[in-house]
Amino acid sequence: MLSLFPAWPLMLAFLFASLALALTPGPAVIYVVTRTLAQGRRAGIASVAGVALGNFGNAVGAAIGLAALFAISSIAFSVVKYAGAAYLIYLGIKALRAPDAQAVEQRFGAARIGRVFRDGFVVALLNPKTTIFFAAFLPQFMDPSAPVIGQSIVLGAVFVAIAATTDCFYVFAAGAIAPMLGRMRGANVVGRYVTAGAFIGLGVFTAAVGGRSAK
């Protein structure tokens, strides 16, 4: 039975490359840090979990040929890309209309954690560039004689796990500085505008800029 993992030298190269990519700040890092600063560490962790699940969905999509569909159909790519961008902008507008950070934190509960998880999942899943990233990156470490779909899913899951781990470090770092920001006069108002600006800017960036970064 053929292994779904590459030989150890190639696997080590994959792990190193994945870690280097995961540590590089990108849209996902901005998203989870913004959530952490606005709603606390629990919201940040929930965002990491949602983003990880959405990214894994993209890895599975790449494995079953969704990336090939995007490659031959600019309409399919554009529909998903702009849907994801619109959702980010919606979150930014929602943040502008939200109460101050202290009131949000007081009402923060299980249902709100579930909503944060859902938002992270939708934002990550509706990023077709992530699917194309997996389709371009993973084959560099695959054995053509082994099952392609199985290898793609396994390597995609490993990459997602590494990225989720590094995202958690960003969440804890943001959580450590959040209390200092909260004690500053006017920090709640400023934080609301920073949060909204980050989401809206990220949505515009997602819609306007090409590329193959999964982060």
Side-chain angles (χ1 to χ4, degrees):
M1 180 178 178
L2 294 172
S3 173
L4 297 180
F5 291 94
W8 269 113
L10 199 57
M11 186 65 186
L12 289 175
F14 170 76
L15 293 175
F16 179 80
S18 298
L19 181 60
L21 288 170
L23 285 171
T24 304
V29 171
I30 295 173
Y31 179 81
V32 300
V33 167
T34 298
R35 279 293 194 184
T36 304
L37 293 176
Q39 295 177 294
R41 192 172 292 170
R42 292 179 65 217
I45 295 297
S47 294
V48 170
V51 167
L53 184 60
N55 283 340
F56 181 69
N58 279 311
V60 174
I64 62 176
L66 189 57
L69 171 64
F70 288 151
I72 64 175
S73 174
S74 60
I75 295 178
F77 180 90
S78 297
V79 166
V80 179
K81 180 177 73 171
Y82 291 124
Y87 193 72
L88 285 168
I89 294 172
Y90 160 76
L91 292 178
I93 295 172
K94 187 177 178 181
L96 278 176
R97 300 173 60 186
D100 62 52
Q102 185 177 0
V104 169
E105 186 174 344
Q106 288 174 349
R107 295 203 307 271
F108 202 69
R112 201 169 286 273
I113 285 290
R115 187 182 305 170
V116 171
F117 173 86
R118 180 204 65 192
D119 289 345
F121 172 73
V122 172
V123 166
L125 191 66
L126 293 180
N127 184 3
K129 289 182 289 184
T130 306
T131 306
I132 292 181
F133 164 81
F134 281 125
F137 177 67
L138 299 182
Q140 313 303 319
F141 306 93
M142 291 167 54
D143 181 355
S145 64
V148 173
I149 292 181
Q151 289 184 94
S152 297
I153 292 175
V154 168
L155 292 178
V158 172
F159 181 92
V160 168
I162 292 173
T165 301
T166 59
D167 286 348
C168 284
F169 282 112
Y170 282 108
V171 166
F172 285 114
I177 67 172
M180 292 185 294
L181 295 177
R183 288 192 292 269
M184 296 171 58
R185 174 174 292 185
N188 288 337
V189 175
V190 173
R192 184 163 67 243
Y193 283 101
V194 170
T195 298
F199 281 135
I200 294 173
L202 189 56
V204 172
F205 175 84
T206 301
V209 180
R212 291 182 171 180
S213 174
K215 293 285 291 175

